[in-house]
Amino acid sequence: MDRTLSFFCTVSVLLFISPSNSQSTFNCSRASYYGSLDCPASYRGACGYTDLGLQINGGDVAAVHRLYRGGTGCGACYLVRCTYPQICNTDGVNVVATDFGVGDNTDFILSARSFAKLAQPNMASQLLAYGVVDIEYRRISCQYPGSNMLVKIKEHSDYPNYLAIIVLYRAGQKDIVDAEIWQEDCKAWRKMRKPYGDVWDMENPPKGPLTIRCLTSGDDGQKWVQLSGVIPSNWQAGVTYDTLVQLD
């Protein structure tokens, strides 16, 4: 299987979020929205997903506040439900955190598309008029049937002197809290830096195919996940590589 994929292939991968193995209790908060149904907001995003942050999960995405956790919360999936029974449905919407945002005592700033999905049939315009609503939410597992994790080389990387990566399509409820690259000539792991969001980088990375390991953290503790030879020796900025593995 060819590890190299274009960025346009990555955005075509559908995100499926399942409530299995999720938190059993809901937390109370508030949510607002950005953009509009007709004209989505321009996007940069604190997590580092760039334009993918508008397309992942079919556009059902959110900026989060306390849940951002210095970028560790990027990529986490949540079930969000509005608590106004006269106008909100009981299903809510499943969203993925792709940005940081602070609102009016809100934990979530949803895309307009996602906010509208909180409403009962034919009541989206009335709900959007509220601007901010009371919600309940819980973290749920992300599921990517048939898809492995992908490592994208950030566009501002500079071969061979500077490498910045982001790990996309992580299943389950695992956070990545550390990342290292194996340096073969020294027989040692070199720690990567986390400059912002979900991005990991390194000045003067090792030569040759690069093996990365990520420290994941979840309810069952912490575990290193090794991605052997995932980045080729002639890596290129903007290119996405298939890890051939997926989180449990």
Side-chain angles (χ1 to χ4, degrees):
M1 180 177 182
D2 190 347
R3 290 179 182 271
T4 305
L5 301 175
S6 72
F7 174 70
F8 296 103
C9 288
T10 70
V11 300
S12 67
V13 178
L14 296 178
L15 166 64
F16 296 89
I17 305 175
S18 168
S20 61
N21 300 319
S22 61
Q23 295 174 184
S24 59
T25 58
F26 281 88
N27 303 286
C28 295
S29 187
R30 281 154 51 92
S32 60
Y33 68 94
Y34 67 91
S36 69
L37 294 177
D38 299 323
C39 184
S42 60
Y43 191 83
R44 289 296 181 268
C47 287
Y49 293 110
T50 59
D51 288 344
L52 181 60
L54 288 176
Q55 303 171 58
I56 196 169
N57 195 30
D60 286 330
V61 296
V64 292
H65 182 200
R66 291 177 298 176
L67 300 171
Y68 182 71
R69 294 177 286 126
T72 302
C74 292
C77 300
Y78 296 91
L79 169 61
V80 178
R81 299 194 306 207
C82 176
T83 58
Y84 302 162
Q86 70 278 15
I87 196 170
C88 301
N89 63 52
T90 57
D91 294 332
V93 62
N94 297 339
V95 297
V96 57
T98 60
D99 200 357
F100 172 81
V102 179
D104 182 10
N105 293 316
T106 60
D107 277 315
F108 291 86
I109 304 177
L110 305 175
S111 64
R113 167 195 171 95
S114 304
F115 196 87
K117 287 185 176 182
L118 300 174
Q120 292 185 25
N122 303 315
M123 300 192 74
S125 59
Q126 292 95 316
L127 185 64
L128 288 165
Y130 276 75
V132 181
V133 295
D134 294 331
I135 61 161
E136 57 183 12
Y137 73 91
R138 67 183 182 188
R139 187 168 180 179
I140 57 177
S141 292
C142 300
Q143 300 290 334
Y144 301 88
S147 175
N148 302 317
M149 289 192 300
L150 305 175
V151 173
K152 183 175 188 292
I153 310 297
K154 294 293 292 177
E155 287 80 1
H156 63 281
S157 296
D158 180 23
Y159 178 86
N161 302 310
Y162 172 74
L163 173 68
I165 66 169
I166 188 166
V167 181
L168 303 170
Y169 301 112
R170 306 191 303 267
Q173 294 189 44
K174 307 285 188 180
D175 298 323
I176 293 181
V177 296
D178 205 353
E180 299 177 338
I181 293 180
W182 178 253
Q183 183 149 353
E184 179 63 26
D185 56 352
C186 297
K187 303 297 182 184
W189 290 100
R190 287 180 58 190
K191 186 178 179 65
M192 300 189 77
R193 183 180 71 115
K194 189 175 186 181
Y196 67 95
D198 215 9
V199 176
W200 299 87
D201 71 355
M202 178 179 287
E203 298 278 357
N204 301 313
K207 302 290 191 293
L210 300 180
T211 291
I212 297 171
R213 69 175 184 177
C214 300
L215 183 62
T216 63
S217 179
D219 291 340
D220 56 352
Q222 295 187 334
K223 176 184 177 181
W224 285 103
V225 177
Q226 185 164 312
L227 310 175
S228 299
V230 61
I231 299 176
S233 57
N234 61 340
W235 54 265
Q236 300 177 46
V239 175
T240 302
Y241 300 98
D242 193 331
T243 69
L244 304 183
V245 302
Q246 183 56 278
L247 298 179
D248 297 330

